[in-house]
Amino acid sequence: MVAKIIEGKHFGGCVGYVLKDRSEIIHAEGLRTTSARTITQDFNLQRKLNPRLGKAVGHIVLSWSEHDKGKLTNRLMAGVALEYLKSLDIDNTQYLMVRHHDRKHDHVHIVYNRVDNQGKTIANSNLRFRSVKLCKQLNSKYGFYQASGKEKVNRGRLKGADKAKYEIHDALKTALRACGDWKQLESYLKYKGVAIQYKKKANSDEVQGVSFSKSGYTFKGSEVDRSLSYGKIDRLFNGQEVQQSAETDTNLTNHQAIGISPMGLAMDAMVSLLDIGIAHDQDDDAIKRKNRNRR
């Protein structure tokens, strides 16, 4: 289970969206659920207790993996959603829980009022950070499937900055299997449409950081992934040799899993063959020198 957290200003649009076709209300508190209109009216009535709060609409989407499909009942999903809200101190307020059936994976939309029953604002400080930690705890408690790493993200549904960020991530992870230094990395990423910018120390050529750009979006290496900071990539280049020939089969499998194009595979293969060829030439030179010494 993972959570997506959104905040907004208008209950009408949010309620109208979550109550679309192939949806069902599985739980509600403090609301008349006769129609989208009555739900919106009730949300807005309580909102007037704190009119200065601009973004009073809390909207959270809890999504489960397809692996959990057989165990997810309305009662279980509502119970987990209630536990999730309470653990984040989102209580003593109105909320609506709607299950959608329009995707392969089950998910519940939670709409809640950030103006609580006493007119106080429900805080959102560090909400996303706390949510990530809580989802891991709930997955462990209920035995829900949890995907590991960025490789499990559905790339096809990403847009804008998120899409660019994951394209950079995938290109870097693939490149680091084949490249042995920064120049090789620059060339490979240029082929993938990714540009590199280095951050240097003032009045010096000493590199302190690196950023990557694609489709008009720029991210620090550590923002793409903690393993992709300048320091960690540089240590990889300086401390480990690329064992390309031994990893070829594994790399091909990984490339296919993350959707690398046939041209990209061809380029990786060329790099691999070049490395192998250099190694063979070095071995041949060593043998010739050894034979000359024997004479």
Side-chain angles (χ1 to χ4, degrees):
M1 182 188 79
V2 296
K4 181 179 181 180
I5 299 174
I6 310 163
E7 289 182 358
K9 297 181 178 180
H10 307 291
F11 280 107
C14 186
V15 171
Y17 170 75
V18 301
L19 292 178
K20 62 181 182 179
D21 293 338
R22 302 188 66 188
S23 67
E24 59 176 323
I25 298 174
I26 61 173
H27 195 68
E29 180 68 30
L31 302 166
R32 295 170 294 156
T33 58
T34 308
S35 66
R37 181 179 179 183
T38 59
I39 293 171
T40 301
Q41 287 175 343
D42 290 345
F43 271 132
N44 284 328
L45 184 62
Q46 181 156 308
R47 181 182 194 167
K48 291 180 180 179
L49 296 174
N50 189 350
R52 290 184 297 177
L53 181 61
K55 292 186 176 181
V57 182
H59 181 190
I60 299 172
V61 187
L62 297 182
S63 300
W64 283 262
S65 167
E66 293 179 48
H67 294 78
D68 296 319
K69 202 169 188 66
K71 68 174 72 171
L72 295 173
T73 63
N74 287 351
R75 183 175 181 179
L76 176 60
M77 294 171 82
V80 172
L82 284 169
E83 186 173 349
Y84 172 89
L85 291 178
K86 187 174 180 60
S87 297
L88 293 178
D89 299 317
I90 302 173
D91 55 4
N92 190 37
T93 191
Q94 300 166 308
Y95 51 79
L96 175 73
M97 298 180 183
V98 183
R99 180 177 183 176
H100 282 189
H101 299 278
D102 59 340
R103 302 282 182 186
K104 290 183 179 180
H105 65 279
D106 287 292
H107 57 288
V108 170
H109 288 261
I110 306 171
V111 183
Y112 69 93
N113 203 331
R114 290 193 61 227
V115 178
D116 73 12
N117 299 335
Q118 277 70 50
K120 297 179 181 179
T121 300
I122 294 177
N124 58 2
S125 177
N126 295 319
L127 187 60
R128 288 176 174 80
F129 175 79
R130 291 187 291 142
S131 173
V132 171
K133 185 177 181 180
L134 177 58
C135 283
K136 291 180 180 179
Q137 293 172 353
L138 293 174
N139 284 335
S140 178
K141 177 178 179 179
Y142 290 96
F144 294 141
Y145 178 84
Q146 182 163 329
S148 58
K150 289 183 172 64
E151 285 73 15
K152 299 297 183 179
V153 173
N154 186 345
R155 267 58 168 174
R157 298 187 64 189
L158 296 176
K159 296 180 181 179
D162 287 336
K163 181 179 180 181
K165 185 175 182 179
Y166 276 89
E167 287 177 343
I168 292 171
H169 171 272
D170 292 348
L172 278 166
K173 286 295 187 178
T174 304
L176 291 175
R177 299 188 188 103
C179 300
D181 57 43
W182 285 100
K183 287 188 177 180
Q184 290 181 13
L185 182 64
E186 288 176 21
S187 297
Y188 187 97
L189 292 181
K190 184 178 180 181
Y191 164 76
K192 291 292 185 179
V194 178
I196 295 182
Q197 298 88 39
Y198 297 99
K199 179 183 177 181
K200 295 185 178 181
K201 187 176 181 180
N203 302 319
S204 171
D205 290 331
E206 180 184 348
V207 179
Q208 291 184 316
V210 65
S211 296
F212 303 96
S213 300
K214 184 175 176 64
S215 304
Y217 298 97
T218 300
F219 307 92
K220 295 179 181 178
S222 57
E223 291 176 336
V224 177
D225 192 272
R226 283 183 292 181
S227 65
L228 298 174
S229 67
Y230 175 81
K232 290 184 178 179
I233 294 176
D234 199 54
R235 283 197 293 273
L236 178 67
F237 287 152
N238 292 325
Q240 298 179 14
E241 295 183 2
V242 180
Q243 298 177 351
Q244 188 66 35
S245 60
E247 295 177 354
T248 300
D249 292 339
T250 302
N251 287 347
L252 287 173
T253 302
N254 290 335
H255 291 170
Q256 293 164 349
I258 59 177
I260 301 301
S261 67
M263 188 175 291
L265 288 174
M267 185 174 183
D268 288 347
M270 289 173 65
V271 173
S272 176
L273 290 173
L274 180 60
D275 288 346
I276 295 171
I278 292 172
H280 284 321
D281 289 344
Q282 292 172 340
D283 289 342
D284 290 342
D285 290 341
I287 292 171
K288 290 176 182 178
R289 286 195 299 272
K290 188 175 182 180
N291 289 336
R292 284 197 298 269
N293 292 334
R294 287 179 177 176
R295 294 173 186 173

Coordinates of all heavy atoms in Angstrom, one line a residue, residues 189-249:
L189 N 24.8 9.4 -21.5 CA 23.6 10.2 -21.1 C 23.1 11.2 -22.2 O 21.9 11.4 -22.5 CB 23.8 10.9 -19.8 CG 23.9 10.1 -18.6 CD1 24.1 11.0 -17.4 CD2 22.7 9.2 -18.4
K190 N 24.1 11.7 -23.0 CA 23.8 12.6 -24.1 C 23.0 11.8 -25.1 O 22.0 12.3 -25.7 CB 25.0 13.2 -24.7 CG 24.8 14.2 -25.8 CD 26.1 14.7 -26.4 CE 25.8 15.7 -27.5 NZ 27.1 16.3 -28.0
Y191 N 23.4 10.6 -25.4 CA 22.6 9.7 -26.3 C 21.2 9.5 -25.8 O 20.3 9.4 -26.6 CB 23.4 8.4 -26.4 CG 22.6 7.2 -27.0 CD1 22.4 7.2 -28.4 CD2 22.1 6.2 -26.2 CE1 21.6 6.1 -28.9 CE2 21.4 5.2 -26.7 CZ 21.1 5.1 -28.1 OH 20.4 4.1 -28.6
K192 N 21.0 9.5 -24.5 CA 19.7 9.3 -23.9 C 18.9 10.6 -23.7 O 17.8 10.6 -23.2 CB 19.8 8.6 -22.5 CG 20.3 7.1 -22.6 CD 19.2 6.2 -23.2 CE 19.6 4.8 -23.2 NZ 18.6 3.9 -23.8
G193 N 19.5 11.7 -24.1 CA 18.8 13.0 -24.0 C 18.9 13.6 -22.6 O 18.1 14.4 -22.3
V194 N 19.9 13.2 -21.8 CA 20.1 13.7 -20.5 C 21.4 14.5 -20.5 O 22.5 14.0 -20.9 CB 20.2 12.5 -19.5 CG1 20.4 13.1 -18.1 CG2 18.9 11.7 -19.5
A195 N 21.3 15.7 -19.9 CA 22.5 16.6 -19.8 C 23.0 16.6 -18.4 O 22.3 16.4 -17.4 CB 22.2 18.0 -20.3
I196 N 24.4 16.8 -18.2 CA 25.0 16.9 -16.9 C 25.5 18.3 -16.7 O 26.1 18.9 -17.5 CB 26.2 15.9 -16.8 CG1 25.7 14.4 -16.9 CG2 26.9 16.1 -15.5 CD1 26.9 13.4 -16.8
Q197 N 25.3 18.8 -15.5 CA 25.8 20.0 -15.0 C 26.6 19.8 -13.7 O 26.0 19.1 -12.8 CB 24.7 21.1 -14.8 CG 23.9 21.5 -16.0 CD 22.7 20.6 -16.2 OE1 22.1 20.2 -15.2 NE2 22.4 20.2 -17.4
Y198 N 27.8 20.3 -13.6 CA 28.6 20.1 -12.4 C 28.6 21.4 -11.6 O 28.7 22.5 -12.1 CB 30.1 19.8 -12.8 CG 30.2 18.5 -13.6 CD1 30.3 18.5 -15.0 CD2 30.2 17.3 -12.9 CE1 30.5 17.3 -15.7 CE2 30.4 16.1 -13.6 CZ 30.5 16.1 -15.0 OH 30.6 15.0 -15.7
K199 N 28.5 21.2 -10.3 CA 28.6 22.4 -9.4 C 30.0 22.4 -8.8 O 30.5 21.4 -8.2 CB 27.6 22.2 -8.2 CG 27.7 23.3 -7.2 CD 26.7 23.1 -6.0 CE 26.9 24.2 -5.0 NZ 26.0 24.0 -3.8
K200 N 30.7 23.5 -9.0 CA 32.1 23.6 -8.6 C 32.3 24.5 -7.4 O 31.5 25.5 -7.2 CB 33.0 24.1 -9.7 CG 33.0 23.1 -10.9 CD 34.0 23.5 -12.0 CE 34.0 22.5 -13.1 NZ 35.0 22.9 -14.2
K201 N 33.3 24.3 -6.6 CA 33.6 25.1 -5.5 C 34.0 26.5 -6.0 O 34.7 26.6 -7.0 CB 34.8 24.5 -4.7 CG 35.1 25.2 -3.4 CD 36.1 24.4 -2.6 CE 36.5 25.1 -1.3 NZ 37.5 24.3 -0.5
A202 N 33.6 27.5 -5.3 CA 33.9 28.9 -5.7 C 35.4 29.1 -5.9 O 36.3 28.7 -5.2 CB 33.5 29.9 -4.6
N203 N 35.7 29.8 -7.1 CA 37.1 30.1 -7.5 C 37.9 28.8 -7.6 O 39.1 28.9 -7.2 CB 37.7 31.1 -6.6 CG 36.9 32.4 -6.5 OD1 36.4 32.9 -7.5 ND2 36.7 32.9 -5.3
S204 N 37.3 27.7 -8.0 CA 38.1 26.5 -8.1 C 37.5 25.5 -9.1 O 36.3 25.7 -9.5 CB 38.1 25.8 -6.7 OG 38.6 24.5 -6.8
D205 N 38.3 24.6 -9.6 CA 37.7 23.6 -10.5 C 37.3 22.3 -9.7 O 36.9 21.3 -10.4 CB 38.8 23.2 -11.5 CG 39.1 24.3 -12.5 OD1 38.2 25.1 -12.8 OD2 40.3 24.4 -13.0
E206 N 37.3 22.3 -8.4 CA 36.9 21.2 -7.6 C 35.4 21.0 -7.7 O 34.6 21.9 -7.4 CB 37.3 21.4 -6.2 CG 36.9 20.2 -5.3 CD 37.2 20.5 -3.8 OE1 37.9 21.4 -3.5 OE2 36.7 19.7 -3.0
V207 N 35.0 19.8 -8.2 CA 33.5 19.5 -8.3 C 33.0 19.1 -7.0 O 33.5 18.3 -6.3 CB 33.3 18.4 -9.3 CG1 31.8 18.1 -9.5 CG2 33.9 18.8 -10.7
Q208 N 31.9 19.7 -6.6 CA 31.2 19.4 -5.3 C 29.9 18.7 -5.5 O 29.4 18.1 -4.6 CB 31.0 20.7 -4.5 CG 32.2 21.4 -4.0 CD 31.9 22.6 -3.2 OE1 31.1 23.4 -3.5 NE2 32.6 22.7 -2.0
G209 N 29.3 18.8 -6.7 CA 28.0 18.2 -6.9 C 27.6 18.1 -8.4 O 28.4 18.6 -9.2
V210 N 26.6 17.4 -8.6 CA 26.2 17.2 -10.0 C 24.6 17.2 -10.2 O 23.9 16.8 -9.2 CB 26.7 15.8 -10.5 CG1 26.0 14.6 -9.8 CG2 26.5 15.6 -12.0
S211 N 24.2 17.7 -11.3 CA 22.7 17.8 -11.6 C 22.5 17.2 -13.0 O 23.4 17.2 -13.8 CB 22.2 19.2 -11.5 OG 22.3 19.8 -10.2
F212 N 21.3 16.7 -13.2 CA 21.0 16.1 -14.5 C 19.7 16.7 -15.0 O 18.8 17.0 -14.2 CB 20.7 14.6 -14.3 CG 21.9 13.9 -13.7 CD1 22.0 13.6 -12.3 CD2 23.0 13.5 -14.5 CE1 23.1 13.0 -11.8 CE2 24.1 12.8 -14.0 CZ 24.2 12.6 -12.6
S213 N 19.6 17.0 -16.3 CA 18.5 17.7 -16.9 C 17.9 16.8 -18.1 O 18.7 16.2 -18.8 CB 18.9 19.0 -17.5 OG 19.4 19.8 -16.4
K214 N 16.6 16.9 -18.2 CA 15.9 16.3 -19.3 C 14.5 16.9 -19.4 O 13.9 17.2 -18.4 CB 15.7 14.8 -19.0 CG 15.1 14.0 -20.2 CD 15.1 12.5 -20.0 CE 14.3 11.8 -21.1 NZ 15.0 11.9 -22.4
S215 N 14.2 17.2 -20.7 CA 12.8 17.7 -21.0 C 12.5 19.0 -20.2 O 11.4 19.3 -19.9 CB 11.7 16.7 -20.7 OG 12.0 15.5 -21.4
G216 N 13.6 19.8 -20.0 CA 13.4 21.1 -19.3 C 13.4 21.0 -17.8 O 13.2 22.1 -17.1
Y217 N 13.6 19.9 -17.2 CA 13.6 19.7 -15.8 C 15.0 19.3 -15.3 O 15.7 18.6 -16.0 CB 12.6 18.6 -15.3 CG 11.2 18.9 -15.7 CD1 10.6 18.4 -16.8 CD2 10.4 19.7 -14.9 CE1 9.3 18.6 -17.1 CE2 9.0 20.0 -15.2 CZ 8.5 19.4 -16.3 OH 7.2 19.7 -16.6
T218 N 15.4 19.9 -14.2 CA 16.7 19.6 -13.6 C 16.6 19.2 -12.2 O 15.9 19.7 -11.4 CB 17.6 20.9 -13.7 OG1 17.7 21.4 -15.1 CG2 19.0 20.7 -13.1
F219 N 17.4 18.1 -11.9 CA 17.4 17.5 -10.5 C 18.9 17.3 -10.1 O 19.7 16.9 -10.9 CB 16.7 16.2 -10.5 CG 15.3 16.2 -11.1 CD1 15.1 16.0 -12.4 CD2 14.2 16.6 -10.3 CE1 13.8 16.0 -12.9 CE2 12.9 16.6 -10.8 CZ 12.7 16.3 -12.1
K220 N 19.1 17.5 -8.8 CA 20.4 17.1 -8.2 C 20.5 15.6 -8.3 O 19.4 14.9 -8.2 CB 20.5 17.6 -6.8 CG 20.6 19.1 -6.6 CD 20.7 19.5 -5.2 CE 20.7 21.0 -5.0 NZ 20.7 21.4 -3.5
G221 N 21.7 15.1 -8.3 CA 21.8 13.6 -8.4 C 21.1 13.0 -7.2 O 20.5 11.9 -7.3
S222 N 21.3 13.5 -6.0 CA 20.7 13.0 -4.8 C 19.2 13.0 -4.8 O 18.5 12.3 -4.1 CB 21.3 13.7 -3.5 OG 21.0 15.0 -3.6
E223 N 18.6 14.0 -5.6 CA 17.2 14.1 -5.7 C 16.6 13.0 -6.6 O 15.5 12.5 -6.3 CB 16.8 15.4 -6.2 CG 17.0 16.6 -5.3 CD 16.7 17.9 -5.9 OE1 16.7 18.1 -7.2 OE2 16.4 18.9 -5.2
V224 N 17.4 12.6 -7.6 CA 17.0 11.5 -8.4 C 17.0 10.2 -7.6 O 16.0 9.4 -7.6 CB 17.9 11.3 -9.6 CG1 17.5 10.1 -10.5 CG2 17.9 12.6 -10.5
D225 N 18.0 10.0 -6.8 CA 18.2 8.8 -6.0 C 19.4 9.1 -5.1 O 20.4 9.6 -5.5 CB 18.4 7.5 -6.8 CG 18.2 6.3 -5.9 OD1 19.2 5.8 -5.3 OD2 17.1 5.8 -5.8
R226 N 19.3 8.6 -3.8 CA 20.4 8.9 -2.9 C 21.7 8.2 -3.3 O 22.8 8.6 -3.0 CB 20.0 8.4 -1.5 CG 19.1 9.4 -0.8 CD 18.8 8.9 0.6 NE 18.0 7.7 0.6 CZ 17.6 7.1 1.7 NH1 17.9 7.5 2.9 NH2 16.8 6.0 1.7
S227 N 21.6 7.2 -4.2 CA 22.8 6.5 -4.7 C 23.4 7.2 -5.8 O 24.5 6.8 -6.3 CB 22.4 5.1 -5.1 OG 21.6 5.1 -6.2
L228 N 22.8 8.3 -6.3 CA 23.3 9.0 -7.5 C 23.8 10.4 -7.3 O 23.8 11.2 -8.1 CB 22.1 9.1 -8.5 CG 21.6 7.7 -9.0 CD1 20.4 7.9 -9.9 CD2 22.7 6.9 -9.7
S229 N 24.3 10.6 -6.0 CA 25.0 11.9 -5.7 C 26.3 11.9 -6.4 O 26.9 10.8 -6.8 CB 25.1 12.1 -4.2 OG 26.1 11.1 -3.7
Y230 N 26.9 13.1 -6.5 CA 28.3 13.1 -7.2 C 29.3 12.3 -6.5 O 30.0 11.5 -7.1 CB 28.7 14.6 -7.2 CG 30.2 14.7 -7.8 CD1 30.4 14.7 -9.2 CD2 31.2 14.8 -6.9 CE1 31.7 14.7 -9.7 CE2 32.5 14.9 -7.4 CZ 32.7 14.8 -8.8 OH 34.0 14.9 -9.3
G231 N 29.3 12.4 -5.1 CA 30.3 11.6 -4.4 C 30.2 10.1 -4.5 O 31.2 9.4 -4.7
K232 N 28.9 9.6 -4.6 CA 28.8 8.2 -4.7 C 29.1 7.7 -6.1 O 29.7 6.6 -6.2 CB 27.3 7.8 -4.3 CG 27.1 8.0 -2.8 CD 25.7 7.5 -2.3 CE 25.6 7.7 -0.8 NZ 24.2 7.2 -0.4
I233 N 28.7 8.4 -7.1 CA 29.1 8.0 -8.5 C 30.6 8.1 -8.6 O 31.2 7.2 -9.2 CB 28.4 8.9 -9.5 CG1 26.9 8.7 -9.4 CG2 28.9 8.6 -10.9 CD1 26.1 9.7 -10.4
D234 N 31.2 9.1 -8.1 CA 32.7 9.3 -8.3 C 33.4 8.2 -7.6 O 34.4 7.6 -8.1 CB 33.1 10.6 -7.7 CG 34.5 11.1 -8.2 OD1 34.7 11.1 -9.5 OD2 35.4 11.3 -7.4
R235 N 32.9 7.8 -6.4 CA 33.6 6.6 -5.7 C 33.4 5.3 -6.4 O 34.3 4.5 -6.4 CB 33.0 6.5 -4.3 CG 33.5 7.6 -3.3 CD 33.2 7.2 -1.8 NE 31.7 7.2 -1.6 CZ 31.1 8.3 -1.2 NH1 31.7 9.4 -1.0 NH2 29.8 8.2 -0.9
L236 N 32.3 5.2 -7.1 CA 32.0 4.0 -7.9 C 33.1 3.9 -9.1 O 33.6 2.9 -9.3 CB 30.6 4.0 -8.5 CG 30.2 2.9 -9.4 CD1 30.2 1.6 -8.6 CD2 28.9 3.1 -10.1
F237 N 33.3 5.1 -9.7 CA 34.3 5.1 -10.8 C 35.7 4.9 -10.3 O 36.5 4.2 -11.0 CB 34.2 6.5 -11.5 CG 33.0 6.7 -12.4 CD1 32.5 7.9 -12.6 CD2 32.3 5.6 -13.0 CE1 31.3 8.1 -13.4 CE2 31.2 5.8 -13.7 CZ 30.7 7.0 -14.0
N238 N 36.0 5.4 -9.2 CA 37.4 5.3 -8.7 C 37.7 4.1 -7.9 O 38.9 3.7 -7.8 CB 37.7 6.5 -7.8 CG 37.8 7.8 -8.6 OD1 38.2 7.8 -9.7 ND2 37.3 8.9 -8.0
G239 N 36.7 3.4 -7.4 CA 36.9 2.3 -6.5 C 36.5 0.9 -7.0 O 36.9 -0.1 -6.5
Q240 N 35.8 0.9 -8.1 CA 35.3 -0.4 -8.7 C 35.5 -0.4 -10.2 O 35.1 0.6 -10.9 CB 33.8 -0.6 -8.3 CG 33.6 -0.6 -6.9 CD 32.1 -0.8 -6.6 OE1 31.3 -1.2 -7.5 NE2 31.7 -0.6 -5.4
E241 N 36.0 -1.5 -10.7 CA 36.1 -1.6 -12.2 C 34.8 -2.2 -12.7 O 34.1 -3.0 -12.0 CB 37.2 -2.6 -12.5 CG 38.6 -2.0 -12.2 CD 39.7 -3.0 -12.6 OE1 39.4 -4.0 -13.2 OE2 40.9 -2.7 -12.3
V242 N 34.4 -1.8 -13.9 CA 33.2 -2.3 -14.5 C 33.5 -3.7 -15.1 O 34.2 -3.9 -16.0 CB 32.7 -1.4 -15.6 CG1 31.5 -1.9 -16.3 CG2 32.5 0.0 -15.1
Q243 N 32.8 -4.7 -14.5 CA 33.0 -6.1 -15.0 C 31.9 -6.4 -16.0 O 31.0 -7.2 -15.7 CB 32.9 -7.0 -13.8 CG 34.0 -6.8 -12.8 CD 33.9 -7.7 -11.6 OE1 32.9 -8.4 -11.4 NE2 34.9 -7.7 -10.8
Q244 N 32.0 -5.7 -17.1 CA 30.9 -5.8 -18.1 C 30.6 -7.1 -18.7 O 29.5 -7.6 -18.8 CB 31.2 -4.8 -19.2 CG 30.0 -4.6 -20.2 CD 28.9 -3.9 -19.6 OE1 29.0 -3.0 -18.7 NE2 27.7 -4.3 -20.0
S245 N 31.7 -7.9 -19.0 CA 31.5 -9.2 -19.6 C 30.8 -10.1 -18.7 O 30.0 -10.9 -19.2 CB 32.9 -9.7 -20.1 OG 33.7 -9.9 -18.9
A246 N 31.1 -10.1 -17.4 CA 30.5 -11.0 -16.5 C 29.0 -10.6 -16.2 O 28.3 -11.5 -15.7 CB 31.2 -11.0 -15.2
E247 N 28.7 -9.4 -16.5 CA 27.3 -8.9 -16.2 C 26.4 -8.8 -17.4 O 25.3 -8.3 -17.2 CB 27.4 -7.6 -15.5 CG 28.1 -7.6 -14.1 CD 28.2 -6.2 -13.5 OE1 27.9 -5.2 -14.2 OE2 28.7 -6.1 -12.4
T248 N 26.9 -9.2 -18.5 CA 26.1 -8.9 -19.8 C 24.7 -9.5 -19.7 O 23.7 -8.8 -20.0 CB 26.9 -9.5 -21.0 OG1 28.1 -8.9 -21.1 CG2 26.1 -9.3 -22.3
D249 N 24.6 -10.8 -19.3 CA 23.3 -11.4 -19.3 C 22.4 -10.7 -18.3 O 21.2 -10.5 -18.6 CB 23.4 -12.9 -18.9 CG 24.1 -13.7 -20.0 OD1 24.1 -13.2 -21.2 OD2 24.7 -14.8 -19.7

